[in-house]
Amino acid sequence: MTSRPLWWLLLKLHKAWVRIVAFAGLALLTAVMAQLLGPLLPGGLHATVGADAVEDILSIVSSSMLVVTTFSLSVAVSAFAAAASSATPRATALLQEDPTTQNVLATFIGAFLFGLLGLIGLKAQLYDDAGRVILYFATLVVVVLVVAALIRWIDHLMSFGRMADTLSRIERAATRSLKARLENPWLGGRPRQGEVPTSGVRIGAHTTGYVQRIDTAALQDAAAAAGGQLHLLCLPGDFVIEGAPVLILDGGSLPDENREAACKAVSIGDTRTFSHDPRFGVIVLSEIASRALSPAVNDPGTAIDVLGRLVRVLSLWRTPMAPDPTFPDVVVPALSGAEMIEDAFRPIARDGAGVVEVQIRLQKSLQALQQVAPAAFSEASIRMSAYALDAAEAAGMLPADLAAVHSVLPFAGTDGP
């Protein structure tokens, strides 16, 4: 897990304004380089390379990029709205973080800003004839970046915000998050064995919201300073109330400054995030399938597509082996395979109870996951299979359709359902 300052920095670097500031920095750097390198250039070079046209080029760039930016922003907002209405509002966060969209919009706005600052420098007589040559070549670089961004943007708009694109983004986010957790199942701490200590110093959440990230290294420092062990009571994705215990110190004593550091190591925000919360990606995929199965949409094909994606994500699961803990004084609960099965399939089993195609694919999905990771998914798959069958019978599914579902039950011929 990255440290809290590095995590904060990475979040900021994903913002579009960082790229826009880079273009403004290029404009200022060009002005400085014109003063430093201008005297070194041969005389008359500005007429040879056509640097006298730089003012006209900057005028075209600054005026056209403002229009292109406004149009592109309207297209992006329309894509966000389409994803929220056709898939789920939770998916818009991934679209807003799309690097291609951010790079393109930042290039357009940055080019506008570069052109504007360049014109201001020309009018302020900051560039002599030699300086115009440097500004001319810097402008050509910006024009090439703008053309490349336009080509990427046109190609990107062919799929941006469509259902398949949205599903693929969520699947990739869920896959990355689950893979990272499986590679580090206890966030560098020790696995919890047995019950949480009932006695000890309880450390409450500093605000109400969702746990977004846990800085295990900071918790290790606090536990070492206290001379005890810190037992984590939550994982990323859990909703906590201000003042409710999120940590318990078993043994030792915790000074106020270390208590505050331990409290702040559990980062809490208003919404769940995909990066450190594997369950959230699975929940969002299941939510899209549930919406597709509503009578207003009636799109079982999307639900079947989601079931396949859920199997791909959860098939990454393996029984985690307890590694040598990097932070031995921090005790962390494990991610539950049973909860992942519940998150993934219960909404689909409930809302698709009367659709035989969905029920058949659901039973096949449970069978596949049981074969991938029997220790993690077997019992939960059996329970979910029984729940789906009960839901189908309660929904009044035709006898022939029920027979088709029974024929693919993953536990047929066993003591299961």
Side-chain angles (χ1 to χ4, degrees), residues 189-332:
R190 290 198 301 109
R192 177 188 296 170
Q193 297 176 346
E195 299 295 329
V196 178
T198 56
S199 60
V201 180
R202 296 176 179 267
I203 301 174
H206 59 85
T207 186
T208 298
Y210 290 97
V211 177
Q212 294 182 337
R213 183 188 165 279
I214 296 172
D215 188 350
T216 324
L219 293 179
Q220 172 64 30
D221 294 339
Q229 289 185 341
L230 278 173
H231 289 256
L232 191 62
L233 304 181
C234 59
L235 286 174
D238 291 346
F239 187 80
V240 296
I241 306 297
E242 183 177 0
V246 292
L247 294 162
I248 291 181
L249 176 64
D250 185 21
S253 60
L254 201 62
D256 290 341
E257 60 273 14
N258 295 109
R259 178 191 290 267
E260 183 178 357
C263 181
K264 292 297 181 63
V266 180
S267 300
I268 300 172
D270 296 334
T271 59
R272 299 179 74 166
T273 60
F274 291 92
S275 56
H276 297 96
D277 184 2
R279 293 179 61 185
F280 186 50
V282 170
I283 289 172
V284 173
L285 281 173
S286 183
E287 183 179 319
I288 294 175
S290 185
R291 171 176 287 192
L293 290 169
S294 65
V297 179
N298 191 23
D299 181 16
T302 295
I304 292 173
D305 184 15
V306 168
L307 284 170
R309 295 176 185 274
L310 287 170
V311 171
R312 278 199 296 269
V313 172
L314 295 179
S315 62
L316 296 171
W317 196 285
R318 63 183 184 273
T319 303
M321 303 298 292
D324 294 332
T326 308
F327 311 111
D329 295 327
V330 181
V331 182
V332 182

Side-chain angles (χ1 to χ4, degrees), residues 174 212 345 401:
Q212 294 182 337
F345 299 110
D401 291 341

Side-chain angles (χ1 to χ4, degrees), residues 333-414:
L335 186 66
S336 170
E339 290 180 344
M340 297 288 284
I341 291 291
E342 292 282 330
D343 294 337
F345 299 110
R346 181 177 289 275
I348 302 175
R350 179 192 65 236
D351 297 327
V355 185
V356 61
E357 296 85 2
V358 173
Q359 289 295 325
I360 290 175
R361 180 59 65 90
L362 174 61
Q363 296 293 345
K364 290 181 177 180
S365 300
L366 293 171
Q367 182 181 23
L369 291 175
Q370 188 200 26
Q371 294 172 352
V372 168
F377 294 142
S378 182
E379 293 184 8
S381 295
I382 291 175
R383 292 195 300 269
M384 185 54 59
S385 176
Y387 173 81
L389 187 60
D390 291 342
E393 292 174 349
M397 185 178 288
L398 294 174
D401 291 341
L402 276 174
V405 176
H406 276 280
S407 68
V408 298
L409 283 178
F411 315 104
T414 70

